[in-house]
Amino acid sequence: PSLFTATISQMVTEIIGPKEAGLKKPTIPEGKTRHLCDVYGSLSTEDKATFLRVVSRQFGTDHDEVLKAAEGLPQAKEKSEAALLKAEERLQAALVPRYHDLFVQIGRLEGGVKHLVDMRADTLDLLSTVKDNAELRSFSSCLREMLSHWFSAGLLHLQRITWESSCDILQKISEYEAVHPMKNWSDLKRRVGPYRRCFIFTHSTMPREPMVVLHTALTNQISDNIQTIVSTPILDDEDVEDINTAIFYSITSTQKGLQGVELGNYLIKRVVRELQAEFPKMTQFSSLSPIPGFRDWLVGEINKVLSSTESSSSEDSGVDGPSSTTPALLTSAELKKVAEIAGKEDVLPLVTLKKLLQTNQWMGAESMVETLKDPLMRLCARYLYLEKRRGYAVNPVANFHLRNGAVLWRLNWQADTNPRGISQSCGIMVNYRYFLGDTMRNSQRYMEEQHIEASQQVIDLAQAAGGVDSP
Ligand SMILES: CC(C)(COP(=O)(O)OP(=O)(O)O)[C@@H](O)C(=O)NCCC(N)=O
């Protein structure tokens, strides 16, 4: 390992120059940079991790130099404006990690930007496995910052995908689909056919590679279920008079290394403009989104109640009574009904409910579905509107649309009855609605005050779950 580490340091130093070279760096033959990329590309996952650890640690900011430069500021301020500017430039240079120069050199190569995107994906994978590694985190954010300049809106090319697009692109559209996987060619044909629009962004450094894909349905109302979008037969030609709404029902960013560059946000905004131009009468823009993680969150909440019931060894029969902090998940009457319908009066109702949820068996009986509609809709509103991580919505899709300035607008019961939809979110889907004149303000309030703009339906449901004071 030490020989490998020394070799990495040597190769990087030959490209970015020794530390003492400062700002005067020799022009480096591309050959050394190309060789480093080839070596990196040939490494095993484990050796790539070593490479990333070594470079992020050995070629980060020089803390002593930063301190020295900072200490020189007061004296320079006393001396003159020119001296202060010079001292500030020295500090700015000191704050740029040395691997920044490595990224610049790699980015200049043919295929170098793609190499950096893949290297960032490797870094994110490594970060997901290690405990907090501050140097690696800085390395990743420096790389993200650089990539965000290369992948800004002005440098991305919008392309509409139709059945007449080339096969290699259509194949990638099918393979990359992460939200509602396509089963066959007719699925794919439907999603690019009449009353549908499929747009991608491509980038000159990765031609013929969809960087992000947005699927939109053209309708005359805000869709409340996915079946009518992905399962309807292929329609005849569009009747423009019948279109006034765009439903974003799937968006996928295909390059993991571009996480945090917000390509999806750019694409939605660009597609809205494109559709407004094509359909001047279009007035409604909304997503129809999955709610990944809701079912698992609910099972977790049930486990919390069961373990607290066990530990408090309360005499009552496991009725999910409200505790001082969190309100009851289901009312006693709802729990009683669940036990009755399941024919399990002798088991703790929450244990029965947990099993029904984990096996999707609750969908089997109409009476059970009816009984669970109100509690599941309440709890889903609480999950989306109240469950937070560092102040922001814990659900990643909610966080994405709320950052874009959308409104948490409507929960839809039985909106996705595929097994995947039942397992993911008990079949519930949500509309994040884009009111174009408000998105900027909504986004700002969400990012700065963690305020979630929500409709009365959602607020009432969350309130019924006992989690929110009346606004
Ligand atoms: C939801 C997506 C498109 C957001 O991507 P993007 O706009 O680039 O945001 P970010 O990843 O840069 O924060 C992305 O997270 C994604 O592809 N998620 C998996 C598929 C999905 N839609 O949940």
Side-chain angles (χ1 to χ4, degrees), residues 120 144 176-179 211-213 249-256 258-267 290 292 396-397 399-401 403-404:
R120 176 133 187 281
R144 184 200 57 76
Y176 277 132
E177 171 55 20
V179 189
M211 310 306 294
V212 54
V213 185
Y249 65 94
S250 172
I251 182 165
T252 304
S253 179
T254 66
Q255 307 295 314
K256 172 156 189 170
L258 292 176
Q259 199 179 81
V261 175
E262 298 199 75
L263 294 182
N265 189 357
Y266 283 131
L267 184 54
V397 180
N399 190 43
F400 166 70
H401 286 292
R403 285 157 61 108
N404 293 348

Side-chain angles (χ1 to χ4, degrees), residues 332-375:
S332 320
E334 287 164 344
L335 283 169
K336 195 162 172 297
K337 197 96 177 0
V338 166
E340 270 168 26
I341 298 170
K344 303 258 184 196
E345 275 90 336
D346 54 333
V347 178
L348 283 181
L350 275 179
V351 170
T352 303
L353 175 61
K354 176 176 149 184
K355 196 155 174 294
L356 290 169
L357 290 172
Q358 285 174 317
T359 58
N360 290 352
Q361 277 171 350
W362 64 279
M363 283 290 286
E366 189 52 40
S367 54
M368 185 64 87
V369 171
E370 264 319 297
T371 303
L372 290 177
K373 177 178 178 181
D374 287 352

Side-chain angles (χ1 to χ4, degrees), residues 45-56:
T45 304
E46 194 184 340
D47 287 344
K48 280 181 178 165
T50 304
F51 177 98
L52 296 169
R53 282 198 181 91
V54 167
V55 175
S56 60

Side-chain angles (χ1 to χ4, degrees), residues 72-81 83-84 87:
L73 288 177
Q75 190 188 352
K77 188 169 186 310
E78 290 308 309
K79 195 170 170 199
S80 69
E81 177 67 14
L84 179 57

Side-chain angles (χ1 to χ4, degrees), residues 15 17 63 86 110 145 152 176 178 192 220 237 251 263 294 305-306 313 327 360 365 398-399 415 431 443-444 469:
I15 292 169
H63 305 308
K86 196 160 173 47
E110 180 73 27
E145 174 70 20
S152 57
Y176 277 132
V192 297
N220 57 13
D237 282 349
I251 182 165
L263 294 182
F294 167 54
V305 174
L306 291 176
S313 66
N360 290 352
N399 190 43
N431 296 115
S443 176
Q444 203 165 359
D469 307 327

Side-chain angles (χ1 to χ4, degrees), residues 3-66:
L3 175 62
F4 181 45
T5 302
T7 309
I8 294 169
S9 302
Q10 175 65 25
M11 290 172 76
V12 174
T13 304
E14 283 176 7
I15 292 169
I16 62 177
K19 195 191 289 188
E20 50 283 354
L23 294 176
K24 293 181 285 310
K25 291 181 176 53
T27 52
I28 297 296
E30 283 188 14
K32 290 184 189 292
T33 313
R34 164 61 59 207
H35 177 60
L36 178 87
C37 291
D38 294 344
V39 166
Y40 179 82
S42 68
L43 296 178
S44 66
T45 304
E46 194 184 340
D47 287 344
K48 280 181 178 165
T50 304
F51 177 98
L52 296 169
R53 282 198 181 91
V54 167
V55 175
S56 60
R57 186 177 316 122
Q58 287 190 13
F59 296 93
T61 46
D62 178 339
H63 305 308
D64 297 339
E65 175 54 25
V66 170

Side-chain angles (χ1 to χ4, degrees), residues 137-148:
R137 206 166 292 284
S138 297
F139 179 91
S140 175
S141 57
C142 177
L143 193 38
R144 184 200 57 76
E145 174 70 20
M146 182 172 273
L147 290 170
S148 66

